[in-house]
Amino acid sequence: MSDMQDTMLTGSEGIKKTILHGGTGDLPKFITGTKVTFHFRTQLCDDERTVIDDSKKVGTPMEIVIGNMFKLDIWETLLSSMRIGEVAEFWCDTIHTGVYPLVSKSMRRIAEGKDPVEWQVHTCGMANMFAYHSLGYDDLDELMKEPKPLYFVLELLRVQQPSEYNRESWALSDEERLKAVPVLHGQGNKLYKQGHYQEAMQKYKEAIICIKNVQTKEKAWDVPWLKLEKMANTLTLNYCQCLLRMEEYYEVIEHTTDIISQHPGVAKAFYLRGKAHKEVWNEAEARQDFTRVLDLDPGMKKAVKKELAVLSMRMEEKNQEDRNKYKGMF
């Protein structure tokens, strides 16, 4: 062991560090954009030291970019106390381990190939994860219900400064996010064609989250922002097509109205909103939307004609039903 101070993380409450294998050189410096590559093993503090996650089993080390919205900031603290090649065990109290199950779920899904996106994207979905009752893994649900202190065994492999791996530290993750979009879009379309609407929606939603993540860094209404906005709208309308199939008509009206209020020239938004209005017997609104479709895209004449015919038929049926209902009342 080198100095005693290595075992103590100065100024950090609820952390105990033990060096298992000394590293070399000085403590690397962490700045925004520094890329850190390391192996980790997470264990419970029970007698068996039950292993929860182990990156060596998965076969690929973990990579995080400092300052890049990584949600388990305690790891940044732990890693910054290590030298290259060092292996250390950290005992961390509950105040530091509360979000671990959420982070672990993201990592597991990527390892299982369920989420093809580099996983920083997924941390932005953190807020909605809290809404789910189950994380889909029993051991994580257990930890979620009752957070416990954990052991993290970390092995620091590499530390690269932004200038060493990529001038623009954000470019990497954003580029990867945008690369994921057409992949997710394609998967969504395939699932939609197979009639798996719920799963298709999930793919479209993930793609939208990727785009929105990148879009926040652009200036609103500038060309790059608009390009991303167009991509997001296309995906949102695909999402709405799934909702129509699942008979969630009011939700369709809500999403399409959002798009129309920002971008009044999107024919498909009026078309899908018209279809939703038709299903809930809003005759005037449906006719208005279908008329807008024809103004914006005369090529959709045939489809609109069909929708209007169905609308007339449905209104006729409904009026007949209403007449019969009231007949007995007078």
Side-chain angles (χ1 to χ4, degrees):
M1 294 224 174
S2 37
D3 304 329
M4 198 46 212
Q5 75 184 44
D6 273 358
T7 37
M8 298 304 294
L9 276 166
T10 40
S12 297
E13 291 282 306
I15 300 174
K16 292 194 196 75
K17 174 177 178 181
T18 316
I19 294 176
L20 305 177
H21 181 284
T24 51
D26 295 330
L27 284 177
K29 70 174 190 305
F30 283 16
I31 57 171
T32 298
T34 301
K35 190 193 234 179
V36 188
T37 309
F38 60 99
H39 271 300
F40 72 94
R41 187 168 72 240
T42 307
Q43 293 170 282
L44 292 175
C45 301
D46 54 8
D47 294 342
E48 286 77 51
R49 287 285 190 100
T50 308
V51 174
I52 301 175
D53 292 300
D54 186 345
S55 63
K56 285 194 171 163
K57 278 216 177 83
V58 174
T60 44
M62 185 72 195
E63 262 183 12
I64 62 175
V65 176
I66 301 298
N68 197 357
M69 301 197 322
F70 182 68
K71 280 292 177 283
L72 198 66
D73 36 12
I74 184 62
W75 275 5
E76 293 186 6
T77 311
L78 306 182
L79 290 161
S80 65
S81 77
M82 298 176 73
R83 295 177 164 80
I84 302 293
E86 181 180 314
V87 181
E89 177 187 87
F90 299 88
W91 172 87
C92 293
D93 209 349
T94 331
I95 50 165
H96 302 299
T97 60
V99 294
Y100 184 77
L102 298 177
V103 174
S104 171
K105 173 188 174 161
S106 277
M107 295 189 291
R108 288 181 188 189
R109 285 185 64 84
I110 277 138
E112 291 161 14
K114 289 196 179 128
D115 291 342
V117 186
E118 129 277 10
W119 82 274
Q120 266 127 355
V121 169
H122 285 271
T123 50
C124 67
M126 281 294 171
N128 2 353
M129 278 190 172
F130 281 110
Y132 294 145
H133 300 305
S134 167
L135 295 170
Y137 300 95
D138 294 346
D139 55 344
L140 298 182
D141 284 341
E142 201 64 23
L143 271 180
M144 213 43 208
K145 274 208 289 284
E146 195 191 334
K148 298 185 174 79
L150 295 172
Y151 282 110
F152 297 119
V153 179
L154 304 179
E155 177 183 356
L156 184 58
L157 301 173
R158 246 194 337 272
V159 174
Q160 294 162 287
Q161 298 310 337
S163 55
E164 296 169 342
Y165 73 95
N166 191 330
R167 290 255 166 263
E168 170 73 71
S169 62
W170 285 108
L172 184 73
S173 54
D174 281 353
E175 209 179 358
E176 284 177 5
R177 280 173 192 169
L178 291 179
K179 268 198 201 125
V181 170
V183 177
L184 290 163
H185 194 163
Q187 289 172 331
N189 290 354
K190 199 170 150 190
L191 288 161
Y192 180 84
K193 284 198 186 91
Q194 294 166 347
H196 303 307
Y197 304 120
Q198 195 80 50
E199 292 93 329
M201 276 167 71
Q202 201 43 49
K203 294 293 177 191
Y204 294 142
K205 190 172 165 184
E206 281 177 30
I208 293 165
I209 288 175
C210 291
I211 293 168
K212 293 289 176 199
N213 253 343
V214 177
Q215 201 183 19
T216 52
K217 305 193 190 87
E218 301 291 353
K219 192 162 172 281
W221 301 98
D222 276 5
V223 172
W225 186 92
L226 276 169
K227 262 194 174 142
L228 293 165
E229 181 77 353
K230 213 174 151 179
M231 285 160 67
N233 286 345
T234 303
L235 285 154
T236 304
L237 292 171
N238 286 8
Y239 185 86
C240 286
Q241 264 174 307
C242 298
L243 288 172
L244 274 176
R245 291 295 182 122
M246 292 162 69
E247 302 182 3
E248 300 287 354
Y249 304 122
Y250 291 104
E251 212 183 316
V252 173
I253 292 170
E254 202 180 313
H255 286 300
T256 46
T257 303
D258 281 347
I259 291 179
I260 288 164
S261 67
Q262 297 272 329
H263 309 278
V266 183
K268 192 176 171 186
F270 284 102
Y271 182 67
L272 293 178
R273 189 171 73 173
K275 282 177 78 121
H277 277 310
K278 177 194 78 181
E279 294 295 344
V280 293
W281 292 289
N282 296 341
E283 186 179 11
E285 291 89 337
R287 286 190 185 283
Q288 217 175 348
D289 279 346
F290 288 134
T291 309
R292 278 302 283 135
V293 174
L294 291 180
D295 293 343
L296 292 166
D297 184 356
M300 290 184 75
K301 198 169 169 180
K302 223 165 123 184
V304 168
K305 221 172 132 178
K306 197 176 122 194
E307 290 296 336
L308 288 170
V310 174
L311 176 65
S312 300
M313 203 168 73
R314 295 205 55 175
M315 294 316 296
E316 186 46 49
E317 278 169 14
K318 187 173 191 308
N319 295 338
Q320 188 56 49
E321 242 169 66
D322 291 349
R323 278 197 294 273
N324 293 345
K325 214 188 289 170
Y326 298 130
K327 227 191 342 225
M329 291 173 70
F330 305 113

